[in-house]
Amino acid sequence: MSAQKTPPLRVLVTGGPTRAYLDDFRFLTNYSTGELAQHLCAELIGKGVKTALVSGPCPADFKPLKLTKWKPVETHGEMLNEVLSLCRTFKPHFVIFSAAVLDFEPQTRAKGKTSSKAQWTIHLKPTKKIMEEVRKKFPGVQRVGFKLEAGTMNEKKAVAFAEKKMREQDLWTLCLNYRDDVGHGKHKALVYGPEGHTIARNKSAIARAIVKTIV
């Protein structure tokens, strides 16, 4: 299949974190500024791509972007529902899964505010993988995945790992990050697409590399 589509190309992006409430006052979350999703959307729109966004709560300002659709959400369940809904109605050719989605959530949510004077045991359950749900329900949609691993990048091993994940998950493109390479003002990543891989060293470069694989 060629990445070239009859215009207009439609791409759905997810960005930011999700939250899982422990009670009505406290929640678990992943850290995400939403900045990468912001760069991705800007890059796509600049290429004339019709771009939709589902974003979790984050400081990135998406309002100036000329998004075709924008759905702010808070929880994993809300993000899953909005992504599946937009796959039905917006009919994207590609979905870029750049959101930092929680892998676990509490089995139960306590009502009100739990007292801080007693121990509190919380049981977690795994959440559904949104990318896999899209794969099952919308097999014609190409998917761009993200993977964050521990340590720092060894390019040769990273390429082999990316190739393995690409095959296993049937991805169009994979962005592979290593925790020690991500921090304030730096973000090194390996972007592996249909024509091979490239090393990007900041979020704007990552966005350009990913968009280049699909536009």
Side-chain angles (χ1 to χ4, degrees):
M1 176 181 175
S2 171
Q4 297 297 323
K5 295 283 184 178
T6 301
L9 189 67
R10 296 184 300 277
V11 178
L12 170 60
V13 178
T14 71
T18 59
R19 293 174 177 175
Y21 278 86
L22 305 175
D23 59 15
D24 293 339
F25 290 79
R26 305 176 180 93
F27 57 81
L28 302 174
T29 190
N30 282 346
Y31 176 77
S32 174
T33 63
E35 185 182 350
L36 181 54
Q38 188 179 38
H39 283 294
L40 285 162
C41 291
E43 189 73 20
L44 288 163
I45 292 167
K47 299 288 187 183
V49 177
K50 287 189 175 294
T51 305
L53 171 68
V54 179
S55 64
C58 60
D61 185 7
F62 300 112
K63 291 179 182 178
L65 299 173
K66 295 180 180 179
L67 292 161
T68 304
K69 292 181 180 294
W70 178 26
K71 299 291 184 180
V73 298
E74 191 172 11
T75 67
H76 169 276
E78 291 169 351
M79 182 168 283
L80 173 61
N81 291 339
E82 288 294 353
V83 167
L84 295 180
S85 176
L86 284 168
C87 283
R88 287 190 295 270
T89 60
F90 180 62
K91 301 184 186 302
H93 300 105
F94 292 85
V95 181
I96 303 176
F97 293 92
S98 66
V101 181
L102 284 172
D103 293 319
F104 297 92
E105 63 185 6
Q107 288 184 349
T108 59
R109 173 175 170 170
K111 294 182 179 180
K113 185 177 182 181
T114 304
S115 173
S116 60
K117 296 180 180 180
Q119 289 187 344
W120 188 7
T121 301
I122 299 166
H123 296 278
L124 302 177
K125 63 180 180 180
T127 57
K128 288 184 178 181
K129 300 292 186 183
I130 299 178
M131 190 168 69
E132 285 303 308
E133 292 299 304
V134 170
R135 181 184 185 182
K136 288 188 294 184
K137 292 179 169 61
F138 301 94
V141 176
Q142 298 292 344
R143 291 162 298 113
V144 177
F146 286 72
K147 187 73 174 172
L148 178 63
E149 293 293 297
T152 189
M153 183 187 299
N154 173 298
E155 186 171 345
K156 184 177 179 180
K157 291 181 179 179
V159 169
F161 182 78
E163 289 174 342
K164 179 174 179 287
K165 288 298 176 183
M166 292 271 287
R167 290 193 302 271
E168 289 176 351
Q169 300 180 3
D170 190 27
L171 297 174
W172 183 266
T173 299
L174 175 67
C175 179
L176 177 59
N177 311 268
Y178 288 83
R179 185 64 188 88
D180 292 348
D181 297 329
V182 179
H184 182 69
K186 66 173 185 175
H187 193 144
K188 182 180 178 183
L190 182 143
V191 177
Y192 200 114
E195 297 180 357
H197 76 277
T198 185
I199 303 295
R201 300 186 182 276
N202 56 58
K203 288 181 171 63
S204 61
I206 293 169
R208 287 194 300 271
I210 290 171
V211 171
K212 187 177 179 180
T213 71
I214 65 177
V215 175

